[in-house]
Amino acid sequence: MGNPKRVPVGIVGASGYGGVQLIRLLMEHPEVEIVYLGGDSSAGKPYTDLYPHLFHKVSLNVEPIDIDVIASRCEVVFLGLPNGIACDLAPILVEKGCKVLDLSADYRFKDLETYTTWYKKDRTDQKTAQKAVYGLPELYREEIKASPLIGCPGCYPTASILALSPLLKQGLIVPETAIIDAKSGTSGGGRQAKVNMLLAEADNSLGAYGVAKHRHTPEIEQICSDLAGHEVRVQFTPHLIPMVRGILATVYATLRDPGLVREDLITIYGAFYRSSSFVKILPTGVYPQTKWACGTNLCYIGIEVDPRTDRIIVMSAIDNLIKGQAGQAVQCLNLMMGWDEALGLPQMSFYP
Amino acid sequence: MGNPKRVPVGIVGASGYGGVQLIRLLMEHPEVEIVYLGGDSSAGKPYTDLYPHLFHKVSLNVEPIDIDVIASRCEVVFLGLPNGIACDLAPILVEKGCKVLDLSADYRFKDLETYTTWYKKDRTDQKTAQKAVYGLPELYREEIKASPLIGCPGCYPTASILALSPLLKQGLIVPETAIIDAKSGTSGGGRQAKVNMLLAEADNSLGAYGVAKHRHTPEIEQICSDLAGHEVRVQFTPHLIPMVRGILATVYATLRDPGLVREDLITIYGAFYRSSSFVKILPTGVYPQTKWACGTNLCYIGIEVDPRTDRIIVMSAIDNLIKGQAGQAVQCLNLMMGWDEALGLPQMSFYP
Amino acid sequence: MGNPKRVPVGIVGASGYGGVQLIRLLMEHPEVEIVYLGGDSSAGKPYTDLYPHLFHKVSLNVEPIDIDVIASRCEVVFLGLPNGIACDLAPILVEKGCKVLDLSADYRFKDLETYTTWYKKDRTDQKTAQKAVYGLPELYREEIKASPLIGCPGCYPTASILALSPLLKQGLIVPETAIIDAKSGTSGGGRQAKVNMLLAEADNSLGAYGVAKHRHTPEIEQICSDLAGHEVRVQFTPHLIPMVRGILATVYATLRDPGLVREDLITIYGAFYRSSSFVKILPTGVYPQTKWACGTNLCYIGIEVDPRTDRIIVMSAIDNLIKGQAGQAVQCLNLMMGWDEALGLPQMSFYP
Amino acid sequence: MGNPKRVPVGIVGASGYGGVQLIRLLMEHPEVEIVYLGGDSSAGKPYTDLYPHLFHKVSLNVEPIDIDVIASRCEVVFLGLPNGIACDLAPILVEKGCKVLDLSADYRFKDLETYTTWYKKDRTDQKTAQKAVYGLPELYREEIKASPLIGCPGCYPTASILALSPLLKQGLIVPETAIIDAKSGTSGGGRQAKVNMLLAEADNSLGAYGVAKHRHTPEIEQICSDLAGHEVRVQFTPHLIPMVRGILATVYATLRDPGLVREDLITIYGAFYRSSSFVKILPTGVYPQTKWACGTNLCYIGIEVDPRTDRIIVMSAIDNLIKGQAGQAVQCLNLMMGWDEALGLPQMSFYP
């Protein structure tokens, strides 16, 4: 820290898992310097009180959230706060000239009514929200480059949308048949102490939650509808898996053309993601393990077609905290700043 | 051991996880006595060489598989062998008057052509196979009571069929929309040493396998077709989960009558399983955790309806080695012998 | 429930893991009936709000803690409360004629000064405390039979003391060389939501805690001193292991007589525990896995001698929630009531 | 791959976990290029048949082990073979001018008799073995720089010796009181399919193995004796922990000077490791979690003194596959080549 040519960045809400990923990634990023860490409950404490393993690397204290301080010190601000708070901060930060990357749901929706319906909060920042871009570079690369405000995608939507995009964009499936059965490690639930997330409860067990009502549903549907060119409804069911990191989305849909075989679809996916270096389309017969993506910004996609049922089954695996959260935000930052999209982003997991 | 009034039972293929569950269950069963343990690779060894924690409980040696010895000593025989072997032994054992419960796939199919297509083995025991009953007591209770030969269901089919049966039997869904996304602990893969089942590989990871080609598909379809009264095809995708025991099947299907709400369906399921004490239909809004079923012969079923998509989502949780294998076999034995169906079968898990 | 001949028992503090084990064990116990469940934070709620998997088994509500109600309804009371509360309730309950089994630390110490030093609470119930017996049946069987008040041992002390007792009782080791390196699953930390017990934190990791200051140290030392006949100090270090249940204590000590070999010691241990059916001394060269004890009231002990260093290494494995807590309490209850010591206590794990 | 200025390196025995770590680390190392991967059982196959997640990164095939080919193509050779094979290859490779880093036990012992006693193999390569240096840079930095052949330490010895070195070097403890209770994730057992390493067996369980006879004992003793200046015997007990990666060594020893407090020892350790950037001495009261070291070449050390017993307890945590194996080998390579010791070695884990 201290290189004057580096871009000064701040993280508001640095105490959670998203925050600590950002710190990890940004500290090894060659073009930025972390100059501010903000938080409420831990304000005034050394950051390493929260994460002692960083004691030799991070000397910053958590500071109170003061928007003038942030704007005066930071060129780029990551917001890692609970839903419904960023929409109070971002308008001011953007006005003051900061580039803002919000990791909450606040700027993911074009239509704030949908947000209000699902997140139960009225919004008055329509003007700012109109400028926000959904931070999925594989779909909105050019828009991200041009925007000062990014609504970074949820973890499940990232895995789900990357699995569905080529199919919807090219009209290959009957959209209303799309079913997303998603499985996530428990770090997706954050660092809050909750009984159902205790190892003693969650280990050696498995269950669905939020069935037919999880708030990532409208987020997925918004992007799917954008791709399809008409309104799309999907079935989305998340499950909690006894592991720390990783999401696997198993996506089912009925093919419009039952003549397509899996090799056709692998070719189509390969072409669709040709310029997206973080999406890896697996060869015939290979299905992704979430572990392959752990610690990386990659999304591995495996494809199968069942000629008995005319369905395609797409499996996409990501690290929920990197490609599903902090890594994707850094990927967006790289685009916003005109840097190499892959700068500072890990591309090989440690296996096993 | 030694009570002359107890029914003498034998286990052929006792070295695997199915075998050790059977031993655990049968040793605490009040009406039987284990008098024979058979195996190939471990013949001649004390059984506790395989499972040292039983050293104070099990004094039997593993014996070579000699069909005359087995028939002369045992009134009931459990076969826990790889697929394709039971069909050589069972005809003789049945002829010699034994009751036979086969845990492999050999006697699960009415139609041996289907077996041959999926299991790649020609069969000449049609006559015996005709006598076999599919050992799912919740559906075939009376037939099981009357048969000398039970083809015990696979673990995935048990969870899947229990979730689907009321829907198919009563024509509530469009059958071809049925999708089963199943998740299993790794003990389902048996006690064979395989690289992909090592803790170092399988822990903290998650993936699908056998997509669109798993051999439990035709087994599920056979029973679904029987229930529906016409041929049914389902989509079945198994996943390996980083835990030891448990299966969760998440089943999706489109309701014929979009006016049905989840409370209706909970009532329907409750009625359907009224006389099946091992199937527990959960109240509104409660979804099963696999852990709840671990160490028991229970199947917990949670039900949700999505009015946005007119789909029902059914989640069923079992212990893959008990209700999904050895416990269900004992449940069948109880029926065959005219005992209380629940005799010797655990009904409460140790939690957590 | 409802058998008039069964002994009515109550559980105060039923919401934690100890409580739910007790419920599990007592519901299958042939001589008792649970008639009261008490708690503070969950008073008024159905017990199955806390543990939904029991919805078909437990119809009791959690009641407020009213000592007159408890005493009037229950012949036996289990106290599963945080440290420092039982000592307010037990004196009254005992006086009113209840048999009391306390799972907290309050009645584990003969010397209340030691309690006050380590648990920071002054005590005025010396008279009651004098009647209390340390509830480790393998050492204090006769005293337990005669007492109305049992201070049930901690989980770590149970594993540690069972490993050390024959050595100390018979003067085989140099006591001050005893080192106990103990490893526990996270359920030992209870059902309170704490960040360090989240699966995301505790899984795939391992660490020591409470080094040189854990409060189970004086408890172990008290019993060790009693066995040795003089004051003994031990080194005790607990570790948190990424698993739900189970404790392994690896105990090191220097042998007084370097001529002893492991077979001698196996013989000595076997003799020492001859009338203790829950302690299983493993044969030469077999070391215990915690999994072997899971779901049981057993303690498996493996013994090794290192002739290079003249040390004995004893490994003891228990289920921390059963032999280490609720099962041991039931074992004490059986003794207090004059029943078979093993009544209602599981002796075979489900493996794997 | 293809930069002509990079140093060409080969990996013989690339199929195991050590091999795949080396590939991961060396592919991101700025000064080397992998030009050869050798193996027996997988010779002729693409490397990504073994590790499909690398399909987009690694295009090399596994080649047969031909020593002339290796020597002609590689300037540096890593040997990741089973014990007892490297000693046949290394003498020739060294003679042909290669720098050799052996990950097996073959070149860890100065005294080949000790090797033969514990590894049951006679050796004829004394001359070569004399040139070998034990590859623990924190102790033998200068020797490593000057040697063509490095015997890379075992995983347990790395964690154990780093914990003990300052104590032995400065005579602070009574050496024969040293007890190392070590706990390892199962990846330490390698990628061979073994029943006891299956997730179904090893998950949710814990046990010791190799008690009083593990082959890392003489390796630890050799270095401890070198540090102490006289022969030292230690007690070493390894345990298998239900996690993938990581080792924690909990080390106990009696202090010679009971006046020392933990702050003194933290200062002493800090000074001892002042020029060793990978060893992190934790502040007072902080104990290491293995997770902190995962994916890094770090060793975290926590220190406690028990004034009641005059013992020091040192806890050291490493990633068994990086600092305990492949990362340490790369650290040695950096020294041998005159590069920055930390080049290409990760220093921050992804948490959680």
Side-chain angles (χ1 to χ4, degrees), chain D residues 43-319:
Chain D
K45 286 196 227 168
Y47 188 71
T48 54
D49 277 12
L50 302 170
Y51 293 99
H53 70 290
L54 297 174
F55 81 102
H56 57 293
K57 284 282 185 185
V58 180
S59 52
L60 293 171
N61 279 14
V62 181
E63 301 183 50
I65 302 177
D66 178 321
I67 217 158
D68 289 323
V69 171
I70 299 170
S72 72
R73 233 193 280 165
C74 306
E75 192 173 330
V76 173
V77 184
F78 292 90
L79 302 177
L81 299 159
N83 297 319
I85 300 180
C87 57
D88 294 333
L89 304 181
I92 314 174
L93 288 168
V94 169
E95 195 174 1
K96 286 176 181 280
C98 294
K99 291 183 192 298
V100 177
L101 298 109
D102 177 29
L103 276 66
S104 83
D106 286 13
Y107 290 102
R108 296 178 189 162
F109 293 89
K110 280 283 168 226
D111 171 5
L112 290 187
E113 263 180 68
T114 306
Y115 176 88
T116 296
T117 303
W118 287 80
Y119 288 87
K120 314 291 176 206
K121 169 160 177 140
D122 287 322
R123 293 276 292 271
T124 59
D125 57 329
Q126 273 87 343
K127 221 183 87 196
T128 306
Q130 287 314 312
K131 296 182 197 158
V133 171
Y134 191 71
L136 193 63
E138 287 74 16
L139 297 184
Y140 302 107
R141 192 167 280 120
E142 297 311 314
E143 294 87 335
I144 291 166
K145 287 182 187 174
S147 173
L149 172 58
I150 307 298
C152 296
C155 51
Y156 286 124
T158 296
S160 305
I161 295 166
L162 291 176
L164 276 168
S165 292
L167 302 174
L168 289 165
K169 184 71 183 175
Q170 304 186 12
L172 300 173
I173 56 167
V174 184
E176 61 268 24
T177 64
I179 292 179
I180 301 157
D181 189 282
K183 299 97 176 164
S184 174
T186 68
S187 63
R191 212 191 193 196
Q192 288 76 43
K194 295 175 214 151
V195 165
N196 69 321
M197 295 295 193
L198 292 174
L199 188 146
E201 298 282 317
D203 196 26
N204 259 272
S205 198
L206 168 71
Y209 66 102
V211 184
K213 59 180 169 292
H214 193 281
R215 300 196 290 194
H216 282 171
T217 309
E219 185 182 333
I220 297 168
E221 290 178 343
Q222 170 186 258
I223 308 301
C224 286
S225 301
D226 189 20
L227 287 161
H230 57 83
E231 204 183 315
V232 170
R233 284 205 166 162
V234 299
Q235 193 72 50
F236 168 69
T237 311
H239 297 76
L240 215 56
I241 300 293
M243 62 184 193
V244 178
R245 301 169 86 112
I247 284 179
L248 185 79
T250 310
V251 179
Y252 302 86
T254 301
L255 288 169
R256 282 197 198 281
D257 175 358
L260 288 173
V261 297
R262 63 180 178 181
E263 286 72 15
D264 299 330
L265 284 145
I266 289 173
T267 303
I268 290 166
Y269 272 70
F272 188 89
Y273 288 118
R274 184 169 300 134
S275 52
S276 293
S277 69
F278 290 112
V279 180
K280 304 294 179 191
I281 308 304
L282 291 162
T284 298
V286 181
Y287 310 141
Q289 288 284 330
T290 55
K291 186 182 281 195
W292 299 354
C294 273
T296 80
N297 200 50
L298 300 179
C299 176
Y300 283 94
I301 292 182
I303 295 163
E304 195 54 76
V305 169
D306 190 345
R308 301 168 72 254
T309 62
D310 298 333
R311 278 204 195 86
I312 182 171
I313 300 108
V314 185
M315 295 145 277
S316 64
I318 61 167
D319 184 323

Side-chain angles (χ1 to χ4, degrees), chain C residues 45-66:
Chain C
K45 287 194 226 169
Y47 188 71
T48 54
D49 277 12
L50 302 170
Y51 294 99
H53 70 289
L54 297 174
F55 81 103
H56 58 291
K57 282 282 184 186
V58 179
S59 54
L60 293 171
N61 279 13
V62 181
E63 300 183 49
I65 303 177
D66 178 323

Side-chain angles (χ1 to χ4, degrees), chain A residues 109-126:
Chain A
F109 293 90
K110 279 284 168 226
D111 172 6
L112 290 187
E113 264 180 68
T114 306
Y115 176 88
T116 297
T117 303
W118 288 80
Y119 288 87
K120 314 291 176 207
K121 170 160 176 138
D122 287 321
R123 294 275 292 271
T124 59
D125 58 327
Q126 273 86 346

Side-chain angles (χ1 to χ4, degrees), chain C residues 242-316:
Chain C
M243 64 183 193
V244 177
R245 303 170 84 112
I247 283 179
L248 184 80
T250 311
V251 179
Y252 302 87
T254 300
L255 289 168
R256 282 195 198 284
D257 175 357
L260 289 174
V261 297
R262 63 182 179 179
E263 286 71 17
D264 299 329
L265 284 146
I266 289 172
T267 304
I268 290 166
Y269 271 71
F272 188 89
Y273 288 117
R274 184 170 299 133
S275 52
S276 293
S277 70
F278 289 113
V279 180
K280 304 295 179 192
I281 309 304
L282 291 163
T284 297
V286 182
Y287 311 141
Q289 287 285 329
T290 56
K291 186 182 280 193
W292 298 356
C294 274
T296 80
N297 199 50
L298 300 179
C299 177
Y300 284 94
I301 292 181
I303 296 162
E304 194 55 75
V305 169
D306 189 345
R308 300 170 71 256
T309 61
D310 297 334
R311 280 205 194 84
I312 181 170
I313 300 108
V314 185
M315 294 144 278
S316 65

